[in-house]
Amino acid sequence: MEDLMTLMPLYGRARDFMAANGNALQWVNGYPSEDLIRSEIEAGHCYVCETSDGRIAGTFCFIIGDDPTYRIIEDGQWCATGPYGTIHRLASSGLVKGVADACISWCWSRIHNLRADTHEDNIVMQNILSRNGFIRCGVIYTDNGSPRIAYQKSTL
């Protein structure tokens, strides 16, 4: 919880980065909110990536278990069933390169069935997921009804 005020500017930086790279619609209206991140920390789902000298280089949420927004997938299907981990709200401080790859690698070391989703305009994240072995599976919808491209990486 002591990192909360350090994490929130990372999300602002991510919003600015996405907007500057053709994805101005994914994280709007202050998403993710401080209340959401606080609840993720309290639930034990929010993680930080640190540099070798202890500075926060990135943050992400990782949940092993059923994600309700992934129950229905359109225009495709999941590659594998069974228990999975979901990566959400990945953001980098910009201190070092490779934060997304490191986060994905860490998640993969915990469970070999991962899911993630991103906005259709988030070409950067689509490339990161593809580069890390994720396969585009279809379209899911967030809690507010917004469509997202769904990805999965699995050995199942």
Side-chain angles (χ1 to χ4, degrees), residues 31 39 58 76 93 98 121:
Y31 179 89
S39 70
S93 67
D121 292 338

Side-chain angles (χ1 to χ4, degrees), residues 66-136:
D66 185 50
D67 185 322
T69 60
Y70 289 179
R71 290 184 185 149
I72 298 173
I73 186 167
E74 295 179 353
D75 298 326
Q77 63 185 18
W78 295 112
C79 304
T81 58
Y84 62 90
T86 306
I87 303 167
H88 285 300
R89 292 176 285 287
L90 176 59
S92 170
S93 67
L95 289 175
V96 295
K97 292 185 183 277
V99 168
D101 297 337
C103 291
I104 291 169
S105 177
W106 184 89
C107 295
W108 184 250
S109 74
R110 269 110 188 112
I111 187 168
H112 284 196
N113 191 10
L114 298 176
R115 294 181 182 180
D117 64 85
T118 194
H119 193 278
E120 67 180 347
D121 292 338
N122 196 339
I123 304 304
V124 172
M125 182 55 72
Q126 291 173 45
N127 289 334
I128 289 168
L129 292 170
S130 294
R131 180 178 70 234
N132 280 279
F134 282 77
I135 296 168
R136 184 179 177 146

